[in-house]
Amino acid sequence: TQLLEQSPQFLSIQEGENLTVYCNSSSVFSSLQWYRQEPGEGPVLLVTVVTGGEVKKLKRLTFQFGDARKDSSLHITAAQPGDTGLYLCAGGGSSYKLIFGSGTRLLVRP
Amino acid sequence: GAVVSQHPSWVICKSGTSVKIECRSLDFQATTMFWYRQFPKQSLMLMATSNEGSKATYEQGVEKDKFLINHASLTLSTLTVTSAHPEDSSFYICSATTATTDTQYFGPGTRLTVL
């Protein structure tokens, strides 16, 4: 069974601080996606990484896919209250199915 | 583009009744749709994979007779929760993919409360 563990589970920080969320697995994935979800809404895709070692930047967000394609990280620089939400990583395989991580709930205090 | 809608957005029903949730791809043809369930403060759990014109494939532990899935067209999949009970109360989310990409486009979710 493929599992994706995210850490930390919950993070409460002050506006302006930096943070990193980790997504780890013992399994290899063909792609790794990061989503952000707000209460009562569906997840919104932030980025997809497919190549081992790949780094993608989206404004203040930096995503990295591990060399072995088993882990990924999301780094947010100078967090803002608008970044508050549930961050989910999801691993993709050959069957188009996604395995979602356990989630990281982020609260950015003004 | 790639918009997925769900209807209803929320529903409250009595225990023992059945509830149907619709998932539509508004501007693309969805060869595959997925149904997820999400409990409060938890991640998404895949319930089943639905391909147009064929029977859905259910994940281990998901009762196919309780959660009926129909994917009758390339733009519509329905999930019917039969004989609903309070423990079925949850947030149900669908997603859809096309034949050319494995990116899943998610709907806004349906909150089901069974009294």
Side-chain angles (χ1 to χ4, degrees):
Chain A
T1 302
Q2 294 178 306
L3 291 174
L4 275 168
E5 293 291 332
Q6 285 184 238
S7 62
Q9 292 183 13
F10 178 72
L11 194 54
S12 177
I13 61 172
Q14 202 71 34
E15 181 177 2
E17 293 183 2
N18 302 331
L19 67 117
T20 302
V21 177
Y22 299 94
C23 175
N24 295 296
S25 175
S26 58
S27 302
V28 176
F29 291 97
S30 60
S31 66
L32 201 295
Q33 301 180 7
W34 283 93
Y35 293 84
R36 179 165 157 264
Q37 185 184 25
E38 299 202 33
E41 298 181 10
V44 175
L45 179 66
L46 297 174
V47 78
T48 300
V49 285
V50 296
T51 306
E54 183 177 2
V55 176
K56 280 191 175 179
K57 291 192 175 183
L58 186 65
K59 297 183 180 177
R60 294 177 293 102
L61 278 60
T62 302
F63 305 86
Q64 185 163 11
F65 201 10
D67 291 339
R69 290 185 290 137
K70 292 182 179 181
D71 54 85
S72 181
S73 65
L74 157 62
H75 182 80
I76 301 180
T77 304
Q80 299 176 1
D83 295 327
T84 293
L86 176 65
Y87 287 83
L88 297 161
C89 65
S94 58
S95 63
Y96 288 0
K97 290 200 298 188
L98 289 177
I99 305 298
F100 275 86
S102 45
T104 295
R105 195 165 296 278
L106 172 64
L107 173 64
V108 182
R109 306 185 306 275
Chain B
V3 178
V4 176
S5 70
Q6 283 184 239
H7 179 79
S9 55
W10 60 270
V11 56
I12 301 173
C13 69
K14 292 183 178 180
S15 185
T17 60
S18 295
V19 174
K20 180 184 285 188
I21 302 170
E22 293 185 349
C23 176
R24 292 182 186 273
S25 56
L26 298 185
D27 51 2
F28 67 100
Q29 293 188 327
T31 50
T32 304
M33 288 184 168
F34 301 87
W35 285 96
Y36 295 85
R37 185 173 183 176
Q38 185 177 32
F39 290 108
K41 298 187 179 181
Q42 293 188 24
S43 187
L44 277 69
M45 280 183 47
L46 180 64
M47 298 175 66
T49 302
S50 161
N51 290 297
E52 184 265 337
S54 61
K55 290 184 178 180
T57 303
Y58 291 81
E59 295 298 300
Q60 192 172 7
V62 178
E63 298 176 59
K64 62 180 180 181
D65 294 330
K66 181 166 186 63
F67 299 100
L68 300 179
I69 293 172
N70 184 282
H71 193 161
S73 77
L74 284 171
T75 59
L76 173 64
S77 176
T78 60
L79 167 67
T80 302
V81 183
T82 62
S83 186
H85 291 284
E87 57 265 30
D88 298 323
S89 297
S90 189
F91 194 51
Y92 292 87
I93 307 173
C94 72
S95 70
T97 63
T98 70
T100 57
T101 176
D102 58 357
T103 297
Q104 290 189 26
Y105 302 97
F106 284 84
T110 296
R111 181 158 304 283
L112 169 64
T113 302
V114 184
L115 302 177

